[in-house]
PDB file of all heavy atoms in Angstrom:
ATOM      1  N   ILE A 248       0.816   0.039   0.198  1.00 96.00           N
ATOM      2  CA  ILE A 248       1.702   1.189   0.733  1.00 96.00           C
ATOM      3  C   ILE A 248       2.713   1.373  -0.109  1.00 96.00           C
ATOM      4  O   ILE A 248       3.095   2.466  -0.320  1.00 96.00           O
ATOM      5  CB  ILE A 248       2.192   0.630   2.102  1.00 96.00           C
ATOM      6  CG1 ILE A 248       0.952   0.559   3.124  1.00 96.00           C
ATOM      7  CG2 ILE A 248       3.172   1.583   2.669  1.00 96.00           C
ATOM      8  CD1 ILE A 248       1.269  -0.004   4.443  1.00 96.00           C
ATOM      9  N   GLY A 249       3.373   0.426  -0.836  1.00 97.00           N
ATOM     10  CA  GLY A 249       4.590   0.604  -1.689  1.00 97.00           C
ATOM     11  C   GLY A 249       4.093   1.346  -2.945  1.00 97.00           C
ATOM     12  O   GLY A 249       4.799   2.338  -3.412  1.00 97.00           O
ATOM     13  N   LEU A 250       3.031   1.051  -3.525  1.00 96.00           N
ATOM     14  CA  LEU A 250       2.394   1.774  -4.642  1.00 96.00           C
ATOM     15  C   LEU A 250       2.131   3.216  -4.422  1.00 96.00           C
ATOM     16  O   LEU A 250       2.499   4.041  -5.122  1.00 96.00           O
ATOM     17  CB  LEU A 250       1.233   0.931  -5.133  1.00 96.00           C
ATOM     18  CG  LEU A 250       0.527   1.569  -6.388  1.00 96.00           C
ATOM     19  CD1 LEU A 250       1.425   1.569  -7.607  1.00 96.00           C
ATOM     20  CD2 LEU A 250      -0.834   0.875  -6.641  1.00 96.00           C
ATOM     21  N   LEU A 251       1.516   3.481  -3.253  1.00 96.00           N
ATOM     22  CA  LEU A 251       1.257   4.785  -2.868  1.00 96.00           C
ATOM     23  C   LEU A 251       2.533   5.570  -2.542  1.00 96.00           C
ATOM     24  O   LEU A 251       2.612   6.825  -2.824  1.00 96.00           O
ATOM     25  CB  LEU A 251       0.307   4.773  -1.600  1.00 96.00           C
ATOM     26  CG  LEU A 251      -1.206   4.400  -1.882  1.00 96.00           C
ATOM     27  CD1 LEU A 251      -1.893   4.214  -0.530  1.00 96.00           C
ATOM     28  CD2 LEU A 251      -1.878   5.325  -2.736  1.00 96.00           C
ATOM     29  N   ALA A 252       3.420   4.953  -1.973  1.00 97.00           N
ATOM     30  CA  ALA A 252       4.728   5.593  -1.659  1.00 97.00           C
ATOM     31  C   ALA A 252       5.313   6.040  -2.981  1.00 97.00           C
ATOM     32  O   ALA A 252       5.875   7.016  -3.085  1.00 97.00           O
ATOM     33  CB  ALA A 252       5.658   4.654  -0.788  1.00 97.00           C
ATOM     34  N   ALA A 253       5.401   5.067  -3.884  1.00 98.00           N
ATOM     35  CA  ALA A 253       6.072   5.391  -5.286  1.00 98.00           C
ATOM     36  C   ALA A 253       5.307   6.535  -5.943  1.00 98.00           C
ATOM     37  O   ALA A 253       5.971   7.412  -6.471  1.00 98.00           O
ATOM     38  CB  ALA A 253       6.046   4.106  -6.019  1.00 98.00           C
ATOM     39  N   LEU A 254       3.965   6.367  -5.904  1.00 97.00           N
ATOM     40  CA  LEU A 254       3.182   7.513  -6.615  1.00 97.00           C
ATOM     41  C   LEU A 254       3.442   8.846  -5.946  1.00 97.00           C
ATOM     42  O   LEU A 254       3.550   9.799  -6.643  1.00 97.00           O
ATOM     43  CB  LEU A 254       1.699   7.111  -6.496  1.00 97.00           C
ATOM     44  CG  LEU A 254       0.671   7.874  -7.276  1.00 97.00           C
ATOM     45  CD1 LEU A 254       1.117   8.102  -8.760  1.00 97.00           C
ATOM     46  CD2 LEU A 254      -0.627   7.422  -7.035  1.00 97.00           C
ATOM     47  N   SER A 255       3.334   8.876  -4.561  1.00 97.00           N
ATOM     48  CA  SER A 255       3.581  10.157  -3.926  1.00 97.00           C
ATOM     49  C   SER A 255       4.939  10.738  -4.239  1.00 97.00           C
ATOM     50  O   SER A 255       5.204  11.960  -4.422  1.00 97.00           O
ATOM     51  CB  SER A 255       3.236  10.023  -2.450  1.00 97.00           C
ATOM     52  OG  SER A 255       4.206   9.294  -1.814  1.00 97.00           O
ATOM     53  N   TYR A 256       5.842   9.925  -4.134  1.00 97.00           N
ATOM     54  CA  TYR A 256       7.353  10.240  -4.522  1.00 97.00           C
ATOM     55  C   TYR A 256       7.382  10.928  -5.872  1.00 97.00           C
ATOM     56  O   TYR A 256       7.919  12.037  -6.104  1.00 97.00           O
ATOM     57  CB  TYR A 256       8.291   9.132  -4.400  1.00 97.00           C
ATOM     58  CG  TYR A 256       9.652   9.439  -4.881  1.00 97.00           C
ATOM     59  CD1 TYR A 256      10.422  10.198  -4.110  1.00 97.00           C
ATOM     60  CD2 TYR A 256      10.067   9.102  -6.262  1.00 97.00           C
ATOM     61  CE1 TYR A 256      11.706  10.514  -4.671  1.00 97.00           C
ATOM     62  CE2 TYR A 256      11.322   9.386  -6.667  1.00 97.00           C
ATOM     63  CZ  TYR A 256      12.198  10.136  -6.043  1.00 97.00           C
ATOM     64  OH  TYR A 256      13.384  10.553  -6.421  1.00 97.00           O
ATOM     65  N   VAL A 257       6.895  10.278  -6.813  1.00 97.00           N
ATOM     66  CA  VAL A 257       6.862  10.672  -8.197  1.00 97.00           C
ATOM     67  C   VAL A 257       6.118  12.020  -8.359  1.00 97.00           C
ATOM     68  O   VAL A 257       6.581  12.970  -9.020  1.00 97.00           O
ATOM     69  CB  VAL A 257       6.413   9.630  -9.130  1.00 97.00           C
ATOM     70  CG1 VAL A 257       6.123  10.152 -10.612  1.00 97.00           C
ATOM     71  CG2 VAL A 257       7.362   8.418  -9.313  1.00 97.00           C
ATOM     72  N   VAL A 258       4.900  12.094  -7.854  1.00 97.00           N
ATOM     73  CA  VAL A 258       4.062  13.382  -7.997  1.00 97.00           C
ATOM     74  C   VAL A 258       4.811  14.493  -7.266  1.00 97.00           C
ATOM     75  O   VAL A 258       4.882  15.540  -7.856  1.00 97.00           O
ATOM     76  CB  VAL A 258       2.604  13.031  -7.363  1.00 97.00           C
ATOM     77  CG1 VAL A 258       1.912  14.329  -7.278  1.00 97.00           C
ATOM     78  CG2 VAL A 258       1.915  12.070  -8.277  1.00 97.00           C
ATOM     79  N   PHE A 259       5.352  14.214  -6.046  1.00 96.00           N
ATOM     80  CA  PHE A 259       5.954  15.232  -5.251  1.00 96.00           C
ATOM     81  C   PHE A 259       7.267  15.736  -6.025  1.00 96.00           C
ATOM     82  O   PHE A 259       7.563  16.794  -6.265  1.00 96.00           O
ATOM     83  CB  PHE A 259       6.275  14.884  -3.967  1.00 96.00           C
ATOM     84  CG  PHE A 259       7.039  15.806  -3.137  1.00 96.00           C
ATOM     85  CD1 PHE A 259       6.551  17.043  -2.781  1.00 96.00           C
ATOM     86  CD2 PHE A 259       8.444  15.540  -2.761  1.00 96.00           C
ATOM     87  CE1 PHE A 259       7.386  17.961  -1.976  1.00 96.00           C
ATOM     88  CE2 PHE A 259       9.229  16.391  -2.057  1.00 96.00           C
ATOM     89  CZ  PHE A 259       8.643  17.611  -1.691  1.00 96.00           C
ATOM     90  N   THR A 260       8.134  14.803  -6.301  1.00 96.00           N
ATOM     91  CA  THR A 260       9.484  15.071  -6.841  1.00 96.00           C
ATOM     92  C   THR A 260       9.429  15.562  -8.304  1.00 96.00           C
ATOM     93  O   THR A 260      10.081  16.588  -8.612  1.00 96.00           O
ATOM     94  CB  THR A 260      10.372  13.898  -6.752  1.00 96.00           C
ATOM     95  OG1 THR A 260      10.427  13.376  -5.484  1.00 96.00           O
ATOM     96  CG2 THR A 260      11.789  14.136  -7.293  1.00 96.00           C
TER      97      THR A 260
END
Side-chain angles (χ1 to χ4, degrees):
I248 290 170
L250 179 65
L251 290 168
L254 183 60
S255 67
Y256 170 77
V257 168
V258 169
F259 172 71
T260 303

